[in-house]
Amino acid sequence: MAIIKTDNLVYEFTRRDENNEVVETVRAVDDVSLEIAPGEFIAVLGRNGSGKSTIARQLNALLLPTSGTVWVDGMNTQDGEHLWDIRQTAGMVFQNPDNQIISSVVEEDVGFGPENMGVPTEEIWKRVDRSLEAVGMTAYRRSSPEHLSGGQKQRVAIAGVMAMKPKCIILDEPTAMLDPSGRKEVIQTVRELNQSEGITVILITHYMEETVNADRIYVVDQGVVRMKGTPREVFSQADRLKELKLTVPQVTELACEMKKAGVDLPGGILTVEELAGALCR
Amino acid sequence: MLRDVTLGQYYPVESPLHRLDPRMKLSATMLYIVSLFIANNPACYLLATAALLLAIRISRVPVRHFLKGLRPIFMLLLISMLFNLFLTGGEPVLVHWAIFTITWPGVRQAIYMAVRLILLIMGSALMTYTTTPTSLTDGMEKGLRFLKAFHVPVHEIAMMMSIALRFIPILADEADKIQKAQMARGANFEEGSIVQRAKAMVPLLVPLFISAFRRATDLATAMEARCYHGGAGRTKMHPLHYQSGDRIAYLLLFAYLAFVILLRVIL
């Protein structure tokens, strides 16, 4: 059974004037149907304003659909009764690391979710220990988030979600405010969690390099899913991606250009090693 | 400038005082301040000073650290001393020169006031030095729980306090950045009359407030995503339980208070 499933999801923002009359409605998400199996690593790609963050917020009931349905582990997000179960099942990491850490001590922040869920004290500490270990931040457990780098803060935020024992983590542009090394650090952590803990990952991003290792990619533009498939399938259509104002990874672009110029190469090359291997055949 | 805000800075050493329950330390500080206002003779103040020095010794926070904390209130101290010195009437007059009159009650009042202020600041500093902000808010939340009966949102206030403490350095940093950005475009924060300088703060405060609201929205969303729904049904990572040390501390506290009252009555 799918862990997350959306059926013809539509979401409209309405802007109202002072008299509470509708000025305009913007369709941010338009007829999106996703189906995500447990343990998958899914990437949702799209440029700024493509509606990808709005989709993310639908997946743990921070926003509710205008029409259509979202199912999280068999629970309908419109069913208010399951609200906290849904948020626990599908944890969410946000873009700005500073605006999601609520405590002045790392380990206390990680324990915030379980505290809210009413988990007994000893169990909270066990979960905090495990989560900090899973993201490799045990050494900083007593530090103040002030003294951490952006990448480390995001790892703490991920640990905070892990402590809620979710089945699925949604990361809403977790690397957009980080430097390249922090970005690598976070993506590495997410991949490890996906592989060793079997957590379903939904990574929302506009950096294509980060999606190379995903199982499947959805490319979103203007609220509509424009392309979907494995990274190889998606990246082999470099021209189409450029039309959607996305930058293809450098190697992929180089391979595409070489292919156009007549070099015999397979489509959708994703890494430098792969290109080198194909050229040396 | 704003980076220098040092609200409730914790001094991390191991000591019996650090281990006490925050509720105990809160009520001790409160009662100590009350005792300073009960005191009205030298013996009382000697006792209060001795008690504080003993507590500081137990806390293993260097006295130097306390004296540094007193620096910002030096002006206030001086002014209140001068006012007391010159404006208290009574007999006998010690010095009389032009419009200035110094009387014996004035001198006494000035000294008492100074001692009272110094002890008050040092006493409350001792609490913040030995208690982390989080355990302080935890202590307030649990210690003031009885106020819930009067519809005071105790949990919410405690949560707000701890979030405020978390965001002070972030916002201070941001204010710094905005200030530099405005200075790079020719804003002048350092010169001019007080009115001009106050006006110069507007382009600093407006973006700071906007950003603070934006952060608040983000934080609220993040908290909701992590299942925050108020204080009901919440468990604690650090549940508070009184230990034997706290009972001893309470006994000492009440003994001290009784002594102060006794000294006031008999002297």
Side-chain angles (χ1 to χ4, degrees):
Chain A
M1 195 183 75
I3 182 98
I4 285 183
K5 191 168 176 243
T6 69
D7 277 335
N8 310 96
L9 171 63
V10 173
Y11 183 74
E12 283 170 349
F13 284 110
T14 28
R15 243 191 33 189
R16 292 166 193 277
D17 61 8
E18 300 93 74
N19 306 323
N20 215 18
E21 272 163 50
V22 178
V23 180
E24 62 169 326
T25 56
V26 182
R27 196 166 265 223
V29 180
D30 192 0
D31 197 21
V32 168
S33 298
L34 310 172
E35 195 163 344
I36 296 162
E40 268 192 304
F41 189 133
I42 299 293
V44 177
L45 255 175
R47 61 178 162 139
N48 290 339
S50 61
K52 57 189 193 301
S53 286
T54 316
I55 295 179
R57 270 155 211 243
Q58 295 280 351
L59 303 184
N60 72 344
L62 283 171
L63 291 176
L64 294 175
T66 307
S67 76
T69 10
V70 179
W71 302 89
V72 177
D73 202 17
M75 296 174 279
N76 187 340
T77 56
Q78 264 159 333
D79 190 352
E81 213 180 299
H82 294 306
L83 181 64
W84 306 114
D85 293 330
I86 287 169
R87 294 208 177 140
Q88 189 221 318
T89 309
M92 190 147 174
V93 176
F94 296 86
Q95 185 182 81
N96 188 331
D98 279 324
N99 295 356
Q100 57 183 320
I101 295 181
I102 63 116
S103 174
S104 316
V105 184
V106 166
E107 59 180 12
E108 283 174 13
D109 184 74
V110 176
F112 180 70
E115 279 185 330
N116 292 334
M117 285 154 52
V119 175
T121 305
E122 305 92 77
E123 170 70 12
I124 297 180
W125 283 100
K126 269 187 222 152
R127 289 188 183 193
V128 169
D129 291 346
R130 271 210 63 211
S131 311
L132 281 173
E133 185 141 352
V135 300
M137 288 294 291
T138 310
Y140 298 91
R141 58 182 308 157
R142 294 205 170 267
S143 312
S144 154
E146 269 325 283
H147 304 132
L148 302 181
S149 71
Q152 288 173 327
K153 280 187 228 176
Q154 281 303 46
R155 273 152 70 195
V156 171
I158 293 172
V161 171
M162 286 294 295
M164 293 163 65
K165 294 215 168 155
K167 292 185 179 158
C168 169
I169 297 188
I170 303 153
L171 299 109
D172 186 6
E173 299 198 60
T175 58
M177 300 182 78
L178 306 182
D179 57 14
S181 73
R183 220 182 282 162
K184 219 178 271 172
E185 190 181 315
V186 169
I187 296 302
Q188 184 69 27
T189 310
V190 172
R191 274 193 68 196
E192 271 164 26
L193 289 178
N194 175 250
Q195 279 163 4
S196 61
E197 314 262 332
I199 304 258
T200 313
V201 171
I202 300 171
L203 175 68
I204 318 275
T205 184
H206 62 262
Y207 292 114
M208 241 182 253
E209 291 84 348
E210 294 173 356
T211 65
V212 168
N213 293 306
D215 293 323
R216 282 187 299 133
I217 298 179
Y218 288 96
V219 181
V220 180
D221 192 51
Q222 289 173 335
V224 183
V225 175
R226 302 277 178 190
M227 297 163 78
K228 60 182 170 185
T230 62
R232 206 168 296 277
E233 285 161 15
V234 170
F235 289 146
S236 58
Q237 306 173 49
D239 294 333
R240 194 117 185 259
L241 286 168
K242 275 192 208 156
E243 268 169 44
L244 299 172
K245 302 276 186 325
L246 287 162
T247 25
V248 186
Q250 234 173 12
V251 209
T252 313
E253 187 162 13
L254 178 65
C256 273
E257 291 300 320
M258 286 168 81
K259 203 171 161 190
K260 266 190 221 156
V263 182
D264 175 29
L265 284 172
I269 282 183
L270 304 174
T271 62
V272 179
E273 291 77 30
E274 222 177 308
L275 179 60
L279 285 172
C280 296
R281 249 180 324 170
Chain B
M1 54 150 207
L2 283 164
R3 270 167 200 271
D4 301 332
V5 181
T6 49
L7 192 70
Q9 45 176 197
Y10 177 64
Y11 193 88
V13 286
E14 272 290 313
S15 87
L17 228 59
H18 284 70
R19 279 195 300 272
L20 285 182
D21 191 292
R23 285 171 292 171
M24 198 277 135
K25 284 185 267 191
L26 268 168
S27 33
T29 311
M30 231 93 90
L31 289 177
Y32 184 72
I33 292 171
V34 170
S35 83
L36 291 177
F37 287 91
I38 293 174
N40 70 343
N41 59 50
C44 288
Y45 283 112
L46 267 180
L47 179 63
T49 314
L52 185 66
L53 287 178
L54 184 71
I56 290 176
R57 170 55 72 79
I58 298 173
S59 76
R60 295 179 51 205
V61 180
V63 179
R64 239 179 324 116
H65 209 69
F66 283 86
L67 297 180
K68 248 196 302 188
L70 281 177
R71 215 178 292 157
I73 63 142
F74 183 73
M75 274 316 277
L76 179 74
L77 199 65
L78 203 69
I79 292 169
S80 71
M81 268 186 89
L82 288 178
F83 269 98
N84 275 297
L85 193 60
F86 290 114
L87 298 177
T88 314
E91 293 288 320
V93 174
L94 297 178
V95 184
H96 187 81
W97 179 76
I99 55 161
F100 299 111
T101 317
I102 296 177
T103 66
W104 174 237
V107 172
R108 206 175 50 189
Q109 199 57 38
I111 294 173
Y112 281 178
M113 193 45 126
V115 172
R116 203 178 266 173
L117 257 174
I118 291 172
L119 291 181
L120 193 148
I121 301 286
M122 282 172 71
S124 22
L126 181 64
M127 179 181 73
T128 54
Y129 287 156
T130 57
T131 321
T132 57
T134 22
S135 73
L136 203 60
T137 44
D138 274 355
M140 284 188 68
E141 184 178 348
K142 199 161 177 190
L144 301 179
R145 220 172 17 178
F146 66 92
L147 287 177
K148 258 193 196 154
F150 305 101
H151 300 289
V152 179
V154 180
H155 165 79
E156 283 73 11
I157 292 174
M159 180 58 86
M160 271 154 55
M161 273 181 57
S162 68
I163 289 175
L165 284 172
R166 151 98 181 95
F167 275 84
I168 285 173
I170 294 179
L171 290 177
D173 224 47
E174 187 138 310
D176 218 51
K177 268 187 213 154
I178 297 171
Q179 191 181 23
K180 289 209 176 89
Q182 308 284 33
M183 275 158 82
R185 288 183 283 165
N188 190 346
F189 293 101
E190 263 118 42
E191 285 164 27
S193 67
I194 290 183
V195 178
Q196 277 170 327
R197 268 197 272 177
K199 273 188 187 158
M201 294 302 275
V202 174
L204 195 146
L205 290 178
V206 172
L208 189 64
F209 268 92
I210 292 174
S211 134
F213 281 121
R214 202 166 285 153
R215 280 180 194 281
T217 321
D218 276 9
L219 188 74
T221 315
M223 283 169 75
E224 269 189 46
R226 283 165 80 185
C227 294
Y228 180 74
H229 49 282
R234 222 168 162 260
T235 43
K236 288 265 168 195
M237 274 179 98
H238 304 281
L240 295 175
H241 300 295
Y242 281 126
Q243 308 291 326
S244 54
D246 299 307
R247 287 185 206 112
I248 296 170
Y250 267 119
L251 271 179
L252 290 173
L253 176 66
F254 287 123
Y256 159 77
L257 211 61
F259 252 112
V260 172
I261 295 171
L262 192 72
L263 282 174
R264 180 188 162 125
V265 173
I266 59 169
L267 289 177

